[in-house]
Amino acid sequence: MTSKKYAIGVDFGTESGRAVLVDVSNGAEIATAVHPYGNGVIDERLPGTDIRLEPDWALQDPNDYIEVFKRTIPAVLQQSGVNPADVIGVGVDFTACTMLPTLKDGMPLCFLLQYRERPHAWIKLWKHHAAQPEANKLNAIAREKGFDFLDRYGGKISSEWFFPKVWQILDEDPEIYAAAERFLEAADWVVWQLTGEEKRNSCTAGYKAIWSKAEGFPAKEFFRALDPRMENIVDEKMTRTIVSLGEKAGGLTAQAAGWTGLKEGTAVAVANVDAHVSVPAATVVDTGKMVMIMGTSICHMVLGKEAKIVPGMCGYTEDGIIPGFIGYEAGQSCVGDHFAWFVENCVPEAYQQQAKARGVDIHQLLEEKAAALKVGESGLLALDWWNGNRSVLVDVDLTGMMLGMTLLTKPEEMYRALIEATAYGTRVIIEAFENNGVPVDQLYATGGLPDKNRLLMQIYADVTGREIRVPAAKQTPAVGSAMFGAVAAGAAAGGYDSIYDASLKMAHLREDVYRPIPENQAVYERLFQEYVLLHDYFGRGPNDVMKRLKALKVEVLEK
Amino acid sequence: MTSKKYAIGVDFGTESGRAVLVDVSNGAEIATAVHPYGNGVIDERLPGTDIRLEPDWALQDPNDYIEVFKRTIPAVLQQSGVNPADVIGVGVDFTACTMLPTLKDGMPLCFLLQYRERPHAWIKLWKHHAAQPEANKLNAIAREKGFDFLDRYGGKISSEWFFPKVWQILDEDPEIYAAAERFLEAADWVVWQLTGEEKRNSCTAGYKAIWSKAEGFPAKEFFRALDPRMENIVDEKMTRTIVSLGEKAGGLTAQAAGWTGLKEGTAVAVANVDAHVSVPAATVVDTGKMVMIMGTSICHMVLGKEAKIVPGMCGYTEDGIIPGFIGYEAGQSCVGDHFAWFVENCVPEAYQQQAKARGVDIHQLLEEKAAALKVGESGLLALDWWNGNRSVLVDVDLTGMMLGMTLLTKPEEMYRALIEATAYGTRVIIEAFENNGVPVDQLYATGGLPDKNRLLMQIYADVTGREIRVPAAKQTPAVGSAMFGAVAAGAAAGGYDSIYDASLKMAHLREDVYRPIPENQAVYERLFQEYVLLHDYFGRGPNDVMKRLKALKVEVLEK
């Protein structure tokens, strides 16, 4: 009789990294450990220096990622008492696009003394927003020269993505650009550190670096048009070899075995992205099912059989989520963030005191009060654009709106209207998919919100008219990464030969399903029509007041 | 050498009455006394009974008004040490339409034991809103039958006004209607109690009872169309004799002299309305000047030489404010109320604590923070319709709107956007006057707000592009009433022969004037254009979403 086998998933977030040790036979989460990054998000000054960063910068320290391996993997081994020989695979997921320049052996430029005080030598975190000028130039050039890859990305490359970030380095510190022998995702870099081999994954390449399985990277002409010095960036500082999700990146090096306490040679999966790795962990390995990662924002993922142009999507990538499928991604830029803003700026003292007196969280109090309202009772309607609109309008200059307030309007009514607005936003995305040939029959919700707010989940079911299921995993991304670790190990080693098999055994759903309530649906149908009318009025050109006000704001502040 | 002469103004508000003893030579406020009504606003049950009132009812007790005379006038005489023989006149102003049924000798029906438990026997306060069905029927009938008096009232008679209230009595308690030998304004009733003579003033008749100097009351056919029993209401239960403002109603009776400590025969002016009496007290006795009574709502008054139809006005009345002029009235239904709503429902605990720590009022804290913002900096724009729109849209079903919010939007930015929205609303009213031949060159502001919020005053000056002056009087309406008292006494008795003369001597302005700041004006010009675009989009038919949401709200609450 063979012993039980385990896999470890390591989920690298914005502030910390987390390892979860998972039972390969059933997906049970046996042990968890978290390590907060020593240098966190670097957005004021470079560590150990007085060098100040510009606004919109956000960097990280690669050493913090190595520390996650060194601390969390030994911790889960110790907690669980599992024999390292029974850990058959490791998978990693990461924020993206989080990228860095290195030497050709993988040495980060920021580790080199001569570059340590150069901000561009460090890791640019996903939310580094200082490459907006480069993103704007890139989009303008691509449109002007007729490069049709923009179609795959809803018509626009974001300032958060790979090439705007690289280009910012070239623009502002060409010496760092020249010194960089490799530019790559931190996701791929940490896998490199574990295996000693540089293997780039198809997910970040596809969603963040304008790569597609069918067409590869954009042509040299495109990069030359950006800047002649970038003409050969792919061949000189990247690679055209992209490895599909579900492949093995390599085995643990002796050094990495030393860091982690795992056995040398343990299988390591190619890297993945936190949102995308959650899809199979939510049991989804087929078409017709949308996975929503619901937190401060929502990332919506759907699998398709054929490549379709869906206007306003963040992107689609063949093999980008599950091998053999087109992975579509859409997003809402402000969901949990709305509620956090509301609580911080709009909830009166009396409510805070009531929450304290009852010993409940203020969100819980608001949810209770909001849940007591009938659908349509508040008379309120909002547009969920406090942080712009990612899908389907792809417009960062849109702003929030609420109407219907009277002197009797209560905070819980506004809170509920904000929740409803985000649900309408999700329905607009679902309809965009369906109207363009990508069916969405069922919803799967993970991330922080589903556990925190049952009212929100019911509203989403009522507004979208679709059942919503919630994965059983406590740490969905880490379990997803462990699943890919088990696939990298393969069935012969006690794992699985495909992510489908792994998902079938290791991913589970909770029993309770959020089902649309027909009488709520009927009222929301009418409210949604009102939302669409305002969405198109303010978002599609009839009245660009939001953009004019934003431009005026910039103008008066610059005076 | 004759001794100094004085007049007393008595201002009847919603919760209390106030007497001010004023020096006739210069308008100086010598003494003030306030008496809160014993029964206040009666909106739950009839005093001394268990008889519950329906929602939207608001009654008062006539005895409370007599108590005001009995308590406040002796108090100001005592405080000042003025010889009652030197008090040459008394003037009174009142809320309107506040009306009651009486016997032909002025005895209120609610004083009679047999009617004491009948709600319709009591005084209906201005904010009694239960006659909406009658107002709706009245407007429909007037439109259908082509009675053009609606033109004088912006196209609609309000449920707050005289005939809807009378009609509600007839509809719901015909016995009280039959027993009523007189229906009249409380303003005229208190003057009757002082003088023993029933004299009805041109202000309330014109603004609240569909009377005009040129045409009198509507024809019998109109009243018969409402209800055949009302056909002869004017001749049977009212009078066609309407006395112009500035006239003497009579002299104090022996009984009233006993109540007040004043001399029998002291001149009493015909009654007036609180807002309207403030116009000459703000020095305004000519055209081109708008007086704004700024409190929970704003009442805008302008004098004109000719009768013009200004769409969306509350009404115009010849001799309705100052004899010899057309008095125009417009209004915004929600101004101070907006800010009160905001503070109660939207200001976070941290701000309340900051205000407490600094020992300042929360409005003051918000004003300070809002004042630090540049015009246009917030990126916000609101429609000031939390309580519907009185002028110029005359639509109670419109609701509030705000747009431009981002995750960085702060409470003081929203507070300032609400102030700005009310200023844009005032500018729309000013433009409606000017576009229809009634010039508005300068603004005069009184009421509670001008003293409380300098930022608000500056914003109004900047948005309207007009200078704003503030009367020096501490109690503007009461001083205005005292001025009319001095006019009732006449020059021969040491008073004045006209309200012009009285205003010239007794009304004063503060030295500081709010003047538009050109650079603010320029930005507000652009913001106002955005306001107008949204005002018309939501208010004039292109998108009736606010009304549909309100209708849906009623529908779901009735389920």
Side-chain angles (χ1 to χ4, degrees):
Chain A
M1 188 182 145
T2 58
S3 59
K4 254 185 180 303
K5 299 301 178 193
Y6 301 89
I8 291 174
V10 187
D11 169 40
F12 287 88
T14 300
E15 302 281 354
S16 63
R18 172 191 309 268
V20 178
L21 184 142
V22 176
D23 183 332
V24 166
S25 68
N26 59 12
E29 292 153 270
I30 308 298
T32 297
V34 179
H35 175 66
Y37 304 144
N39 281 318
V41 176
I42 302 165
D43 53 9
E44 295 193 347
R45 61 191 76 219
L46 282 189
T49 76
D50 282 332
I51 298 163
R52 295 196 68 88
L53 300 175
E54 303 276 315
D56 291 331
W57 277 63
L59 305 180
Q60 291 201 314
D61 178 354
N63 188 54
D64 285 335
Y65 306 149
I66 301 299
E67 285 296 308
V68 168
F69 289 133
K70 288 184 181 171
R71 289 162 186 267
T72 62
I73 294 180
V76 295
L77 287 172
Q78 199 200 346
Q79 271 177 52
S80 62
V82 162
N83 180 347
D86 292 327
V87 177
I88 59 173
V90 176
V92 161
D93 65 272
F94 225 94
T95 64
C97 165
T98 294
M99 56 79 68
L100 73 163
T102 71
L103 298 180
K104 64 172 174 287
D105 62 359
M107 173 67 74
L109 293 194
C110 65
F111 284 1
L112 302 175
L113 274 181
Q114 71 266 40
Y115 300 130
R116 193 127 184 95
E117 303 201 341
R118 303 277 274 272
H120 280 294
W122 293 67
I123 293 180
K124 290 189 167 59
L125 184 60
W126 66 274
K127 67 177 181 175
H128 174 91
H129 286 135
Q132 191 64 54
E134 284 76 14
N136 295 345
K137 288 190 290 178
L138 185 154
N139 286 311
I141 290 168
R143 259 193 305 276
E144 192 187 306
K145 308 231 173 227
F147 288 99
D148 63 3
F149 59 73
L150 286 182
D151 293 343
R152 295 203 308 272
Y153 301 100
K156 240 180 229 176
I157 301 301
S158 160
S159 73
E160 288 184 5
W161 296 356
F162 195 82
F163 289 112
K165 280 174 169 158
V166 171
W167 196 3
Q168 192 201 0
I169 298 175
L170 176 59
D171 273 348
E172 299 179 5
D173 196 345
E175 201 179 310
I176 291 290
Y177 182 87
E181 293 168 346
R182 316 301 288 162
F183 286 112
L184 79 169
E185 286 278 345
D188 293 326
W189 182 80
V190 297
V191 167
W192 190 355
Q193 301 316 298
L194 292 179
T195 63
E197 294 178 64
E198 182 190 354
K199 291 273 176 70
R200 299 190 180 215
N201 75 84
S202 56
C203 178
T204 53
Y207 290 105
K208 309 298 177 186
I210 323 186
W211 171 87
S212 82
K213 193 171 174 182
E215 301 178 18
F217 288 101
K220 287 182 180 189
E221 291 66 38
F222 169 70
F223 292 109
R224 190 173 58 226
L226 301 189
D227 190 306
R229 293 169 291 178
M230 283 175 79
E231 177 171 2
N232 293 307
I233 181 171
V234 175
D235 293 317
E236 288 172 6
K237 297 174 190 279
M238 298 171 62
T239 175
R240 297 191 184 275
T241 307
I242 302 297
V243 183
S244 180
L245 299 180
E247 299 288 313
K248 177 175 169 178
L252 273 191
T253 60
Q255 182 186 43
W259 294 340
T260 58
L262 294 173
K263 290 195 64 173
E264 190 179 341
T266 303
V268 178
V270 289
N272 209 325
V273 172
D274 45 9
H276 301 65
V277 80
S278 299
V279 174
T283 76
V284 173
V285 288
D286 205 347
T287 59
K289 299 168 179 179
M290 175 181 271
V291 178
M292 305 187 293
I293 317 296
M294 307 178 77
T296 55
S297 58
I298 298 184
C299 182
H300 309 74
M301 275 161 302
V302 190
L303 302 176
K305 282 288 186 194
E306 298 161 82
K308 304 277 186 187
I309 302 297
V310 182
M313 295 303 97
C314 303
Y316 73 81
T317 296
E318 191 175 348
D319 298 349
I321 301 175
I322 300 290
F325 290 90
I326 306 293
Y328 293 93
E329 185 186 341
Q332 282 174 275
S333 31
C334 181
V335 181
D337 275 352
H338 265 138
F339 316 138
W341 172 86
F342 184 78
V343 163
E344 193 179 351
N345 290 285
C346 307
V347 174
E349 189 172 29
Y351 279 54
Q352 297 283 5
Q353 287 172 348
Q354 205 179 326
K356 264 175 224 152
R358 289 194 29 213
V360 299
D361 178 77
I362 182 68
H363 284 280
Q364 196 181 328
L365 183 81
L366 286 166
E367 186 196 340
E368 272 180 38
K369 288 177 185 279
L373 297 166
K374 290 186 179 184
V375 179
E377 175 178 344
S378 73
L380 299 177
L381 190 66
L383 292 174
D384 50 318
W385 301 343
W386 266 246
N387 196 17
N389 178 296
R390 194 173 298 159
S391 303
V392 300
L393 299 171
V394 197
D395 194 334
V396 296
D397 288 330
L398 295 174
T399 54
M401 197 244 20
M402 188 179 288
L403 61 74
M405 290 78 83
T406 73
L407 292 175
L408 299 176
T409 297
K410 294 273 156 230
E412 59 269 29
E413 294 180 309
M414 294 188 275
Y415 184 74
R416 183 172 177 133
L418 285 180
I419 294 176
E420 291 170 342
T422 65
Y424 302 140
T426 284
R427 180 158 161 189
V428 168
I429 289 169
I430 291 172
E431 295 198 345
F433 275 117
E434 294 223 309
N435 293 338
N436 290 283
V438 182
V440 177
D441 303 318
Q442 290 181 347
L443 305 180
Y444 294 75
T446 178
L449 282 179
D451 277 340
K452 283 187 199 145
N453 200 321
R454 291 187 63 85
L455 171 66
L456 176 138
M457 297 304 292
Q458 186 59 50
I459 288 173
Y460 273 61
D462 292 341
V463 166
T464 62
R466 283 162 173 82
E467 295 182 348
I468 309 181
R469 291 174 171 75
V470 179
K474 285 192 197 69
Q475 306 294 339
T476 313
V479 170
S481 285
M483 287 163 56
F484 277 103
V487 174
Y496 299 98
D497 282 340
S498 77
I499 190 66
Y500 315 101
D501 295 346
S503 180
L504 200 66
K505 292 289 176 58
M506 295 176 71
H508 306 284
L509 295 171
R510 294 198 198 156
E511 285 200 358
D512 46 334
V513 175
Y514 294 92
R515 295 193 167 83
I517 298 168
E519 53 268 39
N520 292 355
Q521 255 186 290
V523 180
Y524 276 131
E525 195 59 43
R526 290 160 65 184
L527 290 168
F528 178 67
Q529 297 312 321
E530 300 292 356
Y531 175 88
V532 169
L533 199 59
L534 292 167
H535 174 280
D536 291 351
Y537 177 70
F538 288 115
R540 295 196 193 271
N543 188 348
D544 280 337
V545 54
M546 292 168 179
K547 297 180 194 199
R548 289 192 296 269
L549 292 175
K550 216 164 175 180
L552 177 61
K553 173 180 189 155
V554 171
E555 186 186 320
V556 303
L557 285 174
E558 279 173 357
K559 258 186 204 157
Chain B
M1 187 181 147
T2 57
S3 59
K4 251 184 182 306
K5 299 301 179 194
Y6 301 89
I8 291 175
V10 187
D11 169 42
F12 287 89
T14 299
E15 302 280 354
S16 63
R18 170 191 310 268
V20 178
L21 186 140
V22 176
D23 183 332
V24 166
S25 69
N26 60 12
E29 292 152 272
I30 308 298
T32 296
V34 179
H35 175 65
Y37 304 145
N39 281 317
V41 176
I42 303 166
D43 54 8
E44 295 194 345
R45 60 192 76 219
L46 283 188
T49 75
D50 282 333
I51 297 163
R52 295 195 69 87
L53 300 175
E54 303 275 314
D56 291 333
W57 277 63
L59 306 180
Q60 290 201 315
D61 178 354
N63 188 53
D64 284 336
Y65 305 150
I66 301 299
E67 285 296 309
V68 168
F69 289 133
K70 289 184 180 170
R71 290 163 186 265
T72 62
I73 294 180
V76 294
L77 288 171
Q78 198 199 347
Q79 272 177 52
S80 62
V82 161
N83 180 348
D86 291 326
V87 177
I88 59 172
V90 176
V92 161
D93 65 272
F94 225 94
T95 64
C97 163
T98 294
M99 56 80 68
L100 72 163
T102 71
L103 297 179
K104 64 173 174 285
D105 62 358
M107 173 67 74
L109 293 194
C110 65
F111 282 2
L112 302 176
L113 275 182
Q114 69 266 40
Y115 299 130
R116 193 127 186 95
E117 303 201 341
R118 303 274 276 270
H120 280 295
W122 292 68
I123 293 180
K124 288 187 169 59
L125 184 60
W126 67 274
K127 67 177 180 175
H128 174 91
H129 285 135
Q132 191 64 53
E134 284 76 14
N136 294 345
K137 287 190 292 178
L138 186 154
N139 285 311
I141 289 167
R143 258 193 306 276
E144 191 186 308
K145 308 231 175 230
F147 288 99
D148 62 3
F149 59 74
L150 286 183
D151 293 344
R152 295 204 308 274
Y153 301 100
K156 240 181 229 176
I157 302 300
S158 159
S159 73
E160 288 183 5
W161 296 357
F162 195 80
F163 289 112
K165 279 173 168 157
V166 172
W167 196 5
Q168 192 201 359
I169 298 175
L170 176 59
D171 273 348
E172 298 179 5
D173 196 344
E175 203 180 308
I176 291 290
Y177 182 87
E181 293 168 346
R182 315 302 287 162
F183 286 112
L184 79 168
E185 285 279 345
D188 293 327
W189 182 81
V190 298
V191 167
W192 190 354
Q193 301 315 298
L194 292 179
T195 62
E197 293 179 64
E198 181 190 354
K199 290 275 176 68
R200 298 188 181 217
N201 76 83
S202 57
C203 178
T204 53
Y207 289 105
K208 309 297 177 187
I210 323 185
W211 171 87
S212 83
K213 193 170 175 183
E215 301 178 17
F217 288 101
K220 287 183 182 189
E221 291 66 37
F222 170 69
F223 292 109
R224 191 173 58 225
L226 301 188
D227 189 307
R229 294 169 291 180
M230 284 176 79
E231 177 171 1
N232 294 307
I233 181 169
V234 175
D235 293 317
E236 288 173 5
K237 298 173 190 280
M238 298 170 65
T239 175
R240 295 192 185 275
T241 308
I242 302 297
V243 183
S244 181
L245 298 180
E247 299 289 312
K248 176 176 170 179
L252 271 192
T253 61
Q255 184 187 41
W259 294 341
T260 58
L262 295 173
K263 290 195 65 173
E264 191 178 340
T266 303
V268 178
V270 291
N272 209 326
V273 172
D274 44 11
H276 301 65
V277 80
S278 300
V279 174
T283 76
V284 172
V285 288
D286 206 345
T287 58
K289 299 169 178 180
M290 175 181 272
V291 179
M292 305 188 292
I293 318 297
M294 306 177 78
T296 55
S297 58
I298 297 184
C299 182
H300 309 75
M301 274 160 304
V302 190
L303 303 176
K305 281 288 184 195
E306 298 161 83
K308 303 277 187 186
I309 303 296
V310 181
M313 296 302 96
C314 304
Y316 72 81
T317 296
E318 191 175 347
D319 298 350
I321 300 174
I322 301 290
F325 291 90
I326 307 292
Y328 293 92
E329 185 187 340
Q332 284 175 274
S333 31
C334 181
V335 181
D337 276 352
H338 265 139
F339 316 138
W341 172 84
F342 184 78
V343 162
E344 192 179 334
N345 291 284
C346 306
V347 174
E349 189 172 28
Y351 279 54
Q352 297 284 5
Q353 287 172 349
Q354 206 179 326
K356 264 174 226 154
R358 289 194 30 213
V360 300
D361 178 79
I362 182 68
H363 284 280
Q364 197 181 325
L365 182 79
L366 286 168
E367 185 195 341
E368 272 181 37
K369 288 177 184 280
L373 298 165
K374 290 186 178 184
V375 180
E377 175 178 344
S378 73
L380 298 178
L381 190 67
L383 291 173
D384 50 319
W385 300 343
W386 266 246
N387 196 18
N389 178 295
R390 195 175 296 161
S391 302
V392 300
L393 298 172
V394 197
D395 195 333
V396 295
D397 289 329
L398 295 174
T399 54
M401 196 247 16
M402 189 179 287
L403 61 75
M405 290 80 80
T406 72
L407 292 175
L408 298 176
T409 297
K410 293 273 158 231
E412 58 270 27
E413 295 180 309
M414 294 188 276
Y415 184 74
R416 182 171 178 133
L418 284 180
I419 294 176
E420 292 170 341
T422 66
Y424 303 140
T426 284
R427 178 159 163 190
V428 167
I429 289 169
I430 292 172
E431 296 198 345
F433 276 117
E434 296 223 308
N435 293 339
N436 289 282
V438 182
V440 177
D441 303 319
Q442 290 182 347
L443 305 181
Y444 295 75
T446 177
L449 282 179
D451 277 340
K452 283 185 198 147
N453 200 322
R454 292 186 63 85
L455 171 66
L456 176 138
M457 298 303 293
Q458 187 58 51
I459 289 173
Y460 272 62
D462 292 340
V463 166
T464 62
R466 283 162 173 83
E467 294 183 348
I468 309 181
R469 292 174 170 74
V470 179
K474 284 191 197 71
Q475 306 293 341
T476 314
V479 170
S481 285
M483 287 164 56
F484 277 104
V487 174
Y496 300 98
D497 282 340
S498 76
I499 191 67
Y500 315 100
D501 296 345
S503 180
L504 202 63
K505 292 288 177 59
M506 296 174 72
H508 307 283
L509 296 171
R510 295 198 196 154
E511 284 199 1
D512 45 334
V513 174
Y514 293 92
R515 293 192 168 83
I517 298 168
E519 53 269 38
N520 292 355
Q521 254 186 292
V523 180
Y524 276 131
E525 195 60 43
R526 290 161 66 185
L527 289 168
F528 178 67
Q529 297 313 320
E530 301 291 357
Y531 176 88
V532 169
L533 199 60
L534 292 168
H535 175 280
D536 292 351
Y537 177 69
F538 287 115
R540 294 197 194 270
N543 187 348
D544 280 337
V545 54
M546 292 168 179
K547 297 179 193 199
R548 289 192 297 270
L549 291 175
K550 215 163 176 180
L552 176 61
K553 173 179 189 156
V554 171
E555 186 186 320
V556 301
L557 285 174
E558 280 173 355
K559 258 187 205 157

